[in-house]
């Protein structure tokens, strides 16, 4: 593990030298207050050990990284029925795009763009109140991370609720098309709060173990999701996890990954590691600029790739 710590220290010092750090998202005003100077990275390896560097213990807004946890939870509860309401194809469009929804009769291309994740939040609202759905999501993430301290950042959640007009447009369109089963405001109340979950890189890397290790959080532990579901979520992360930057991320990093506009990325080296990285500045398509660079370095150093050797 000392090797991994040394690799991560090298990556953190290389990132500290970077001057072009991207742009912090400010369309959710509360996110715009975050210092772009942060950088953190954490890796949980197959033996369960953790290595980290930089601001890896500092919580940040996980935003769209939450979409992989809500998807795993919804698949566990409703199974393949979920796929009647959301597709599995990359969209090639920005995360908040509305343009395909009308042509596709209100069925979002995949669960990792906003429209698709809003449908997944709606699925999790079945037989639940908004508070119960949020508690179910938090309970799942806490269990995955083995950390009861994880919660929602109320200031970020209300900042997004106050400004989330585009997400409202997506939700109302899908409601009109019959693909939302609840009051759009209730579905969005779940969605905004799941996006506002705050976690550190160390907590996020722990929460991602179920995807890296075929449903398990530790060697020999009970499965949190089935190995088949872990594999499917990983395939979606690879093809759709970075929106219209997914092809580039697969090309440069070669691992399934899910980004969020808070600057976090969860990446998965199946059977080898669960990796979380955070740097708030984003590239042109809304993915963490230094986070992506750091993962490229890590993939190069370790040889991890789902596509074979370097
Ligand atoms: N909460 C954000 C939104 O809906 C999530 C987007 C993201 O992280 N890409 O706009």
């Amino acid at each position: 593990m000392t090797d991994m710590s040394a690799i991560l220290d090298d990556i953190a010092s290389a990132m500290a030298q970077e001057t072009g750090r991207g742009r912090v998202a400010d369309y959710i005003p509360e996110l715009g207050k975050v210092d772009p100077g942060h950088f953190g990275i954490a890796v949980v390896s197959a033996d369960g050990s953790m290595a980290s560097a930089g601001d890896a213990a500092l919580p940040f807004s996980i935003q769209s990284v939450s979409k992989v946890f809500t998807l795993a939870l919804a698949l566990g509860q409703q199974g393949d029925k979920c796929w009647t309401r959301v597709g599995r194809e990359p969209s090639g469009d920005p995360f908040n795009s509305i343009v395909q929804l009308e042509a596709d009769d209100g069925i979002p291309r995949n669960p990792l763009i906003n429209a698709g994740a809003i449908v997944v939040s709606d699925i999790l609202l079945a037989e639940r109140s908004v508070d119960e759905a949020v508690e179910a999501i938090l309970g799942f993430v806490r269990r995955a991370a083995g950390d009861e301290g994880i919660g929602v950042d109320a200031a970020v959640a209300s900042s997004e609720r106050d400004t989330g007009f585009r997400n409202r447009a997506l939700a109302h369109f899908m409601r009109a098309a019959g693909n939302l089963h609840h009051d759009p405001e209730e579905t969005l109340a779940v969605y905004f709060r799941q996006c506002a979950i705050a976690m550190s890189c160390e907590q996020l890397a722990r929460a991602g173990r179920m995807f890296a290790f075929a449903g398990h959080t530790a060697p020999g532990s009970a499965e949190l999701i089935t190995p088949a579901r872990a594999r499917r979520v990983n395939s979606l992360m690879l093809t759709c996890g970075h929106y219209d930057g997914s092809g580039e991320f697969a090309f440069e990093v070669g691992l399934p990954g899910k980004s969020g506009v808070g600057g976090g990325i969860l990446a998965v080296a199946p059977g080898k590691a669960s990796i979380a990285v955070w740097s708030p500045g984003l590239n042109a398509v809304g993915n963490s600029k230094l986070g992506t660079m750091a993962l490229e370095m890590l993939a190069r150093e370790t040889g991890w790739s789902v596509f074979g050797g370097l």
Side-chain angles (χ1 to χ4, degrees):
M1 207 59 209
T2 45
D3 282 356
M4 182 53 68
S5 296
I7 292 173
L8 299 187
D9 285 341
D10 282 353
I11 293 175
S13 20
M15 293 303 120
Q17 312 290 314
E18 282 295 326
T19 45
R21 305 184 76 87
R23 240 188 117 234
V24 176
D26 56 6
Y27 75 99
I28 299 171
E30 199 61 27
L31 292 184
K33 297 181 183 165
V34 178
D35 175 0
H38 289 300
F39 175 83
I41 186 164
V43 174
V44 180
S45 301
D47 64 2
S49 58
M50 157 90 71
S52 63
D55 301 319
L58 218 60
F60 60 91
S61 190
I62 69 166
Q63 292 295 317
S64 286
V65 183
S66 66
K67 293 169 180 172
V68 290
F69 299 112
T70 53
L71 175 63
L73 187 58
L75 286 173
Q77 289 177 4
Q78 301 228 352
D80 286 343
K81 252 179 34 194
C82 296
W83 303 121
T84 59
R85 296 177 60 187
V86 61
R88 306 190 287 253
E89 291 296 341
S91 70
D93 275 323
F95 63 86
N96 55 5
S97 173
I98 197 165
V99 73
Q100 289 167 342
L101 262 189
E102 186 164 24
D104 294 344
D105 297 322
I107 309 286
R109 285 284 165 101
N110 68 69
L112 303 184
I113 51 174
N114 287 13
I118 292 168
V119 168
V120 172
S121 307
D122 196 68
I123 291 171
L124 292 175
L125 249 185
E127 327 266 323
R128 291 189 176 113
S129 68
V130 169
D131 285 347
E132 286 166 351
V134 173
E135 276 310 309
I137 295 165
L138 271 175
F140 186 65
V141 173
R142 286 171 181 156
R143 202 141 45 93
D147 191 331
E148 289 300 311
I150 295 167
V152 171
D153 183 325
V156 173
S158 60
S159 182
E160 185 164 1
R161 195 186 54 231
D162 292 346
T163 55
F165 302 110
R166 234 188 135 89
N167 287 321
R168 283 196 177 82
L170 296 170
H172 281 263
F173 185 83
M174 292 191 289
R175 174 77 190 181
N179 197 19
L180 229 56
H181 298 174
H182 303 87
D183 176 346
E185 278 308 316
E186 292 201 344
T187 303
L188 288 167
V190 176
Y191 174 76
F192 293 150
R193 280 161 70 188
Q194 82 185 45
C195 287
I197 292 174
M199 289 168 83
S200 67
C201 289
E202 289 177 353
Q203 289 170 323
L204 190 56
R206 284 201 183 92
R209 292 173 298 186
M210 69 174 122
F211 304 116
F213 308 122
H216 298 276
T217 54
S221 73
E223 283 168 7
L224 212 52
I225 53 172
T226 66
R229 288 208 175 98
R231 194 162 78 180
R232 289 185 145 175
V233 175
N234 288 341
S235 76
L236 288 164
M237 279 200 246
L238 186 83
T239 53
C240 313
H242 283 71
Y243 320 111
D244 43 342
S246 298
E248 187 67 17
F249 187 85
F251 188 85
E252 294 293 353
V253 178
L255 298 172
K258 182 72 208 84
S259 67
V261 287
I265 302 176
L266 173 65
V268 172
K272 299 196 167 68
S274 170
I275 308 150
V277 60
W278 171 53
S279 175
L282 307 180
N283 64 20
V285 286
N287 302 315
S288 175
K289 185 163 181 218
L290 297 196
T292 307
M293 284 171 63
L295 289 169
E296 281 171 36
M297 278 183 75
L298 182 65
R300 211 171 327 127
E301 289 296 321
T302 55
W304 291 338
S305 166
V306 295
F307 299 110
L310 294 182

